[in-house]
Amino acid sequence: MQIPSVKRSLFLFTFLVSGFVFAQDKPLGGETVIVVKPYTPSVNDAFKIKETPNVNDSVNLEKKPVKYSIFSVPVASTFTPSKGRATQVEKAKRVKLFNNYATLGFGTYSNVLAEFYSNFEVNRSDNFGVFLTHNSSQGGIEDVRLKDSFYNTELNLNYNSRNRKSSWNTEVGLEHRLFNWYGLPEAISIPDDVVRQIDPAQNYFSAFAGGELELYDSFFERASVGYRFMGDSYSSAEHHFQTDATFEVNIAGELITTTITGDIVNGNMGRIYPNTAHDEDYGFFNAGINPSLLILRDDLTLDLGVALFYSLNTENSKNSIYLYPRVTASYRLGGEYFIPYAGLEGDLKQNTYYQLSKENPFVSPTLDIQPTDMPYNTYLGAKGKLSNSIAYNLRGSYKKEFNRSLFYKNPYAAEEGENYAYENSFGNIFADLSTLSIFGELNVDVNRNFRLGMNAAYFSYSVDGQAEAWNLPDFKATILADYQITEKWYAGANVFFVGERKDFGSFPSSSTQFTPRVVTLDSYVDLNANLGYRFNDQLSIFARGNNLLGKNYEKWQDFPVQGIQVLAGATYKFDW
């Protein structure tokens, strides 16, 4: 049965009205209704101002047209501006570097000078080098009765490598030196037939091998190791081994450095000089550690350290412990112009046959080898600049040394029949020595082409156990000068002054007896100069003059040096 549409509408209306009335009978509660609706912005039309508004004015003035023309008149002028040009900066000519060079020179007294160096680039970080040098003379000093020739030849091979984190190098070397004991005493008359039987030649043979490692970004900073063998014509032999390592640690902004060292020497002197009390064999083991703290405060630099050494005499099993101060300080009181500094340092120095023969090549193969104990060397000085081109350094020091090695002339002992026993060689003796010294230095850079340097030192000695500080000068001075005359010409000169020295000698009291005596060696001046000319970047020639004052002074007693010496040669640089 279908309900008519009118009745159906009436029914729905009645239902809605009744529902509304029923709902109004119940009070509304406190409810919060949140209506969420998307935001739909709109832009209203903008009111634009007209660019040309209408002017409603009762007075209107008519604009009159303006007519004009340009009349050009030429102006006479005699000024002509010059074109601008940039100022040229003076540039130094780039010097071409070569990997190899060779030098050869000849001079008076049949002197020969030869040098050769070659560098091979293995790759971008590795290089191999060869260095050979030779210096010799056939002698010919006036009034010398024995042969006085000498030569010195050295060969060195090295290999080095460098990268971003480290670098290392190794080297091996050979050395041969020949010297003659030609310094016969003037006070003793030796027959010619005896002199003819003397063979004064002494040969020194040496071989060296070593290496060094350096790390850039590590607390282990560097380490080195080296070994040297030394021998001579009289069966002397010496083995010397050295090593050290340095560690650096930065704690709270302060740098702490620790260096560990090891030094071992073992040898045998081929002979014992008459009336000496030391043994032929010698051996020492020295180990040390040196921690230090570096303090940097503005203009103050302070290095506080201490060194501890353990020394063992391996021949008689005697050992000792040494403790030394290592303190240095400096303060920039006047910037670069005045820097006072001071220090208190000690050290244990191991003497060797090789080192002593370098200082005095006329020693006999009978030396006494011991370490030197220096408990302190205290100094106070100031350095800085007087101007941008003048630098100075002044220092006073007082040093104490126990077992300091001093050279002295060996006494006459011809009855031994040794070639060095005719008072024509040197031995060494150990003594306790105190030294007061004053030192001054001045360096002048007049310009980039001329440099001048001067220094002088005065010494005062106090010796325990000996009458004098044998063969130590009371004054020394040096002047050095280099001058680039032109782009191709260059020159240089140096002057050395050495004050008086005391030595030990013998004076014949009878035909067979000799009395000890003290000999004073005169001071001397040694003037040297050189002159050179560069043809190009590769070829240059040079001339050198030594001992130009011509004095046959004695650096060592009864050993006069060669007079005026002139040597000329050439140097050639090249690449393979």
Side-chain angles (χ1 to χ4, degrees):
M1 177 179 177
Q2 293 184 348
I3 301 174
S5 61
V6 175
K7 292 182 178 180
R8 183 172 53 192
S9 300
L10 182 60
F11 172 77
L12 292 175
F13 176 77
T14 304
F15 174 79
L16 292 174
V17 171
S18 62
F20 173 77
V21 174
F22 178 77
Q24 291 299 317
D25 291 340
K26 192 175 182 180
L28 296 176
E31 297 180 359
T32 300
V33 179
I34 300 176
V35 179
V36 179
K37 179 183 179 181
Y39 174 67
T40 55
S42 61
V43 180
N44 294 331
D45 294 336
F47 175 73
K48 298 181 180 180
I49 300 176
K50 293 183 179 180
E51 294 182 358
T52 307
N54 294 327
V55 179
N56 297 323
D57 198 345
S58 59
V59 179
N60 292 323
L61 298 177
E62 182 180 358
K63 294 181 180 180
K64 294 183 179 181
V66 178
K67 296 181 180 181
Y68 63 92
S69 62
I70 299 175
F71 179 67
S72 300
V73 178
V75 178
S77 175
T78 59
F79 173 73
T80 303
S82 61
K83 296 181 179 179
R85 185 170 56 184
T87 301
Q88 295 182 352
V89 178
E90 183 180 355
K91 296 182 180 180
K93 183 180 179 181
R94 184 177 181 181
V95 179
K96 180 176 175 55
L97 302 178
F98 296 91
N99 290 323
N100 317 279
Y101 80 87
T103 297
L104 185 62
F106 302 93
T108 56
Y109 295 93
S110 301
N111 292 346
V112 177
L113 172 66
E115 290 183 3
F116 172 78
Y117 175 78
S118 183
N119 180 72
F120 300 91
E121 185 175 347
V122 180
N123 51 49
R124 295 183 60 183
S125 61
D126 294 10
N127 289 271
F128 174 74
V130 179
F131 180 64
L132 175 66
T133 178
H134 172 83
N135 186 18
S136 65
S137 173
Q138 297 305 310
I141 302 174
E142 188 177 358
D143 297 329
V144 170
R145 302 174 67 186
L146 292 173
K147 191 174 182 180
D148 59 318
S149 60
F150 73 88
Y151 72 76
N152 185 359
T153 302
E154 294 183 47
L155 172 64
N156 181 277
L157 307 177
N158 62 83
Y159 190 97
N160 62 80
S161 177
R162 181 184 298 270
N163 54 50
R164 296 177 59 184
K165 296 183 178 181
S166 65
S167 64
W168 59 269
N169 68 78
T170 59
E171 62 175 329
V172 295
L174 298 174
E175 182 180 4
H176 180 202
R177 294 178 292 145
L178 180 145
F179 292 90
N180 285 280
W181 294 304
Y182 63 87
L184 294 175
E186 296 179 0
I188 300 177
S189 178
I190 303 177
D192 290 340
D193 58 337
V194 175
V195 173
R196 284 192 291 268
Q197 296 176 5
I198 300 174
D199 180 9
Q202 167 66 305
N203 289 274
Y204 299 108
F205 307 97
S206 176
F208 173 81
E212 184 175 358
L213 171 66
E214 183 176 1
L215 303 180
Y216 302 140
D217 299 321
S218 173
F219 74 96
F220 179 76
E221 184 185 14
R222 60 174 298 277
S224 66
V225 61
Y227 165 78
R228 182 181 294 277
F229 168 79
M230 166 80 169
D232 65 14
S233 301
Y234 289 79
S235 302
S236 300
E238 179 181 77
H239 305 272
H240 188 203
F241 176 81
Q242 289 179 294
T243 184
D244 67 83
T246 301
F247 304 86
E248 286 189 352
V249 179
N250 196 312
I251 300 178
E254 308 294 352
L255 184 63
I256 299 177
T257 303
T258 302
T259 301
I260 300 175
T261 61
D263 193 312
I264 303 173
V265 61
N266 180 272
N268 173 275
M269 300 305 300
R271 302 287 191 277
I272 291 294
Y273 209 86
N275 301 320
T276 55
H278 64 86
D279 298 328
E280 294 183 13
D281 299 328
Y282 58 92
F284 291 91
F285 169 77
N286 304 312
I289 182 171
N290 170 214
S292 65
L293 171 64
L294 180 62
I295 300 175
L296 301 176
R297 295 291 185 273
D298 297 328
D299 295 324
L300 174 66
T301 300
L302 181 62
D303 195 350
L304 303 174
V306 65
L308 178 65
F309 283 90
Y310 170 79
S311 180
L312 173 65
N313 187 331
T314 59
E315 290 298 319
N316 55 27
S317 301
K318 291 183 178 180
N319 59 74
S320 303
I321 295 178
Y322 304 91
L323 184 64
Y324 302 111
R326 296 280 180 90
V327 180
T328 61
S330 66
Y331 186 77
R332 296 179 180 270
L333 190 60
E336 295 290 336
Y337 295 94
F338 183 65
I339 306 174
Y341 62 92
L344 178 62
E345 299 180 276
D347 197 8
L348 182 67
K349 176 185 176 183
Q350 178 60 63
N351 296 295
T352 64
Y353 184 28
Y354 177 80
Q355 163 248 323
L356 294 175
S357 69
K358 280 284 191 176
E359 294 180 22
N360 184 350
F362 307 112
V363 294
S364 60
T366 60
L367 298 183
D368 187 11
I369 305 299
Q370 298 180 32
T372 296
D373 170 24
M374 185 180 70
Y376 60 86
N377 177 19
T378 178
Y379 54 88
L380 177 65
K383 60 183 178 179
K385 295 181 178 180
L386 299 177
S387 67
N388 290 333
S389 59
I390 303 177
Y392 67 91
N393 185 12
L394 301 173
R395 181 178 67 248
S397 67
Y398 183 77
K399 177 170 59 176
K400 181 68 175 180
E401 295 172 287
F402 296 108
N403 262 16
R404 167 66 187 267
S405 178
L406 302 173
F407 295 111
Y408 70 97
K409 194 77 178 292
N410 280 323
Y412 190 83
E415 65 277 4
E416 297 296 322
E418 297 288 356
N419 296 310
Y420 53 80
Y422 295 86
E423 200 173 317
N424 58 334
S425 64
F426 290 85
N428 71 323
I429 192 169
F430 288 90
D432 298 339
L433 180 68
S434 299
T435 306
L436 173 66
S437 65
I438 300 175
F439 172 82
E441 183 180 24
L442 193 67
N443 292 305
V444 182
D445 290 341
V446 178
N447 52 48
R448 66 174 62 181
N449 295 326
F450 181 69
R451 295 181 179 179
L452 178 66
M454 299 173 285
N455 65 73
Y458 167 78
F459 305 95
S460 177
Y461 306 103
S462 176
V463 190
D464 294 335
Q466 293 293 318
E468 299 287 347
W470 306 118
N471 282 293
L472 295 181
D474 58 358
F475 186 82
K476 295 173 67 175
T478 304
I479 300 177
L480 305 172
D482 289 305
Y483 183 40
Q484 186 70 40
I485 305 172
T486 65
E487 184 179 354
K488 294 183 177 295
W489 287 96
Y490 62 93
N494 54 70
V495 182
F496 301 98
F497 175 82
V498 178
E500 292 183 347
R501 290 134 293 138
K502 303 291 185 180
D503 198 1
F504 174 83
S506 300
F507 185 80
S509 56
S510 65
S511 59
T512 58
Q513 299 294 324
F514 301 91
T515 303
R517 64 188 176 113
V518 176
V519 179
T520 300
L521 279 71
D522 295 333
S523 59
Y524 64 87
V525 177
D526 193 341
L527 172 62
N528 309 285
N530 65 84
L531 178 67
Y533 180 81
R534 297 186 181 91
F535 291 98
N536 49 50
D537 291 339
Q538 292 184 267
L539 180 62
S540 62
I541 58 174
F542 62 88
R544 300 176 184 175
N546 296 326
N547 193 16
L548 295 178
L549 298 181
K551 300 293 184 179
N552 296 109
Y553 61 84
E554 295 180 3
K555 181 178 179 180
W556 304 102
Q557 183 188 174
D558 297 323
F559 282 81
V561 301
Q562 296 178 352
I564 298 178
Q565 307 155 44
V566 178
L567 183 142
T571 298
Y572 182 71
K573 304 175 184 178
F574 60 96
D575 287 328
W576 295 111

